[in-house]
Amino acid sequence: MRGNLFAVAVNLVVLTVRSNRLHALLIERGEPPFLGAWALPGGFVRPEEDLVHTAGRRLGEETGADTGHAVVGHLEQLASYAAPDRDPRGRVLSVGYLAFVPDMPEPTPGGGAAASAWCPIDAVPTLAFDHDRILDDGVERARSKLEYTTLAASFCPHEFTVTDLRRIYEAVWRTTLDPRNFQRKVTSTDGFLVPTTTLVTGGRGRPPRLFRRGPARALHPPMLRESHRVTDDAPSSETSTPIRG
Amino acid sequence: MRGNLFAVAVNLVVLTVRSNRLHALLIERGEPPFLGAWALPGGFVRPEEDLVHTAGRRLGEETGADTGHAVVGHLEQLASYAAPDRDPRGRVLSVGYLAFVPDMPEPTPGGGAAASAWCPIDAVPTLAFDHDRILDDGVERARSKLEYTTLAASFCPHEFTVTDLRRIYEAVWRTTLDPRNFQRKVTSTDGFLVPTTTLVTGGRGRPPRLFRRGPARALHPPMLRESHRVTDDAPSSETSTPIRG
DNA sequence: TAAATAGTGTCTTTTAGACACTATCCA
DNA sequence: TGGATAGTGTCTAAAAGACACTATTTA
């Protein structure tokens, strides 16, 4: 078998919406390199472990899913990053994973991290390695996935209101949506939401109904965000490359 | 640095449209394992080489771009595959890349392949390793990318007619589109097509105009393929995974 | 001239967006 | 009662789909 050998790591872009703002889960590195710097959570792939297993394991460790806290969400592979000089220790390929989780208590650091925290997406400091780019790619993926899938519901707990769901879209897209048109759109899209009989009392206005996520995964027609630019909006990464002329 | 080490390979899903059918580029393996079986072209990532460089290099070798043949197309990262038992030689992670190229002469085998050929997508035999799944993921990605990007033009040569472009959509989606509505849609989408002054004579009807690809990359509103199922249409791979309940 | 393909015009249906209006809570 | 939020109805504009019709070629 030709070729040199790589260490293979998984890094997680874990997104959630807290206080109507999109946040990412960051860890403070507890060991070199980049000791003390902020980074994406992650870890090396163990022998006999598949990529998604590593990602799920580290996600559980960081979000405290192993403490019995019920986690509903979504996990998907994002992209791989393997620039020769991206890690000073040697040749390391990192597979990025993108996770959506509902708002939950403060994270519990794991995997050799000194600390961990939810950080608003527009206040993220410079990160270790090439994690800035991985994070950017993850956020961009999240923004476009909300357009044509029902994944916004992965940011919500098991039962949620239409307004809860709208706040997800507004936070991820940094925009505002008409509450009335949004309501009609999501409740009339077959399989997106399943109504319960429960109304949430205690709020300031008419009590909203609770819904659960339905079986639909694709959104047709999609939920288009406003004024998508028509010219080049390729992500920052290599993921889109024209070949010559 | 903890963790065991991996060999890292790149495998290519190279798609083209020939005779109004979607084809993939396959190679016949010239060495073990899977000697004599069909597989996706690929190769190991060299020291100091980035992933996209490996992919571009192998793409050029297989399609004969190094022979001076002008290649216009598209290359993007697809996903990574690293199941512990996917390669009998040991732990190998493969990064899938997806390429769109215009129809071109028969391929010239490279990289240790015994033979190579364009194979209609619905006539692909069982492939070596987990290449069936990589191919499936690539085809599915291609189908959905044609909906909301202008990448269909990457299958066309530098100048092409509206009918040429429509045949791409029809081949990739295995459907038929109304030629008149298609014409209006693509010519009225700002930045998709740039008209030339050339008309193609010699055909059977009114000579069509040649166009070049415009600067637009995203399609807004998207070009929706018919009757997208509303329920679960997750790809075959791990790329979409719900987390618990 | 007939057949074939390119391209335009127009009508209908569907959907997005704006927004009036009703419903139901709390203070 | 008034303010706030939930939810429905309705109008308009934009886009998709069906398809008649014109334009320009070859056989």
Side-chain angles (χ1 to χ4, degrees), chain B residues 155-218:
Chain B
F155 286 105
C156 294
H158 184 56
E159 296 190 333
F160 53 90
T161 67
V162 170
T163 296
D164 292 337
L165 187 64
R166 180 167 48 84
R167 300 278 184 229
I168 302 296
Y169 280 93
E170 293 179 333
V172 175
W173 286 347
R174 292 167 309 183
T175 185
T176 57
L177 299 171
D178 185 289
R180 299 156 295 184
N181 291 333
F182 183 86
Q183 178 111 15
R184 241 186 325 106
K185 170 80 179 180
V186 298
T187 56
S188 69
T189 296
D190 209 56
F192 194 169
L193 299 180
V194 177
T196 70
T197 56
T198 318
L199 304 183
V200 181
T201 56
R204 249 179 308 192
R206 173 177 171 176
R209 182 176 299 276
L210 284 179
F211 291 83
R212 298 202 184 101
R213 198 177 173 188
R217 288 298 172 265

Side-chain angles (χ1 to χ4, degrees), chain B residues 51-134:
Chain B
L51 298 173
V52 72
H53 182 219
T54 309
R57 172 173 58 78
R58 291 292 292 115
L59 178 62
E61 288 168 10
E62 291 292 342
T63 59
D66 49 352
T67 66
H69 195 84
V71 173
V72 182
H74 170 77
L75 179 64
E76 71 175 45
Q77 193 183 301
L78 185 54
S80 292
Y81 305 83
D85 58 353
R86 65 177 293 282
D87 191 316
R89 293 169 292 186
R91 201 76 204 262
V92 180
L93 179 146
S94 172
V95 184
Y97 270 79
L98 177 63
F100 302 157
V101 298
D103 192 10
M104 53 177 65
E106 285 303 316
T108 59
S116 67
W118 291 111
C119 180
I121 216 66
D122 47 9
V124 171
T126 298
L127 301 181
F129 306 103
D130 52 3
H131 290 188
D132 293 301
R133 205 179 72 174
I134 302 178

Side-chain angles (χ1 to χ4, degrees), chain A residues 4-6 45-46 49 71 73-77 80 91 97 190 216-217 220 228 230 238-239 241 243, chain B residues 4-6 45-46 49 71 73-77 80 91 97 190 216-217 220 228 230 238-239 241 243:
Chain A
N4 55 331
L5 296 177
F6 291 62
V45 178
R46 294 178 179 164
E49 199 177 42
V71 174
H74 170 77
L75 180 65
E76 71 175 46
Q77 193 183 303
S80 292
R91 202 75 204 265
Y97 269 78
D190 209 55
R217 288 297 171 268
H220 280 271
H228 223 112
V230 168
E238 68 178 29
T239 47
T241 312
I243 314 170
Chain B
N4 54 333
L5 297 176
F6 291 62
V45 178
R46 294 177 178 165
E49 198 176 43
V71 173
H74 170 77
L75 179 64
E76 71 175 45
Q77 193 183 301
S80 292
R91 201 76 204 262
Y97 270 79
D190 209 56
R217 288 298 172 265
H220 281 271
H228 224 110
V230 167
E238 67 176 31
T239 48
T241 312
I243 314 170

Side-chain angles (χ1 to χ4, degrees), chain A residues 94-105:
Chain A
S94 172
V95 185
Y97 269 78
L98 177 63
F100 301 158
V101 298
D103 193 9
M104 52 177 66

Side-chain angles (χ1 to χ4, degrees), chain B residues 3-18:
Chain B
N4 54 333
L5 297 176
F6 291 62
V8 174
V10 159
N11 283 107
L12 293 163
V13 177
V14 186
L15 301 179
T16 198
V17 175
R18 328 185 83 194

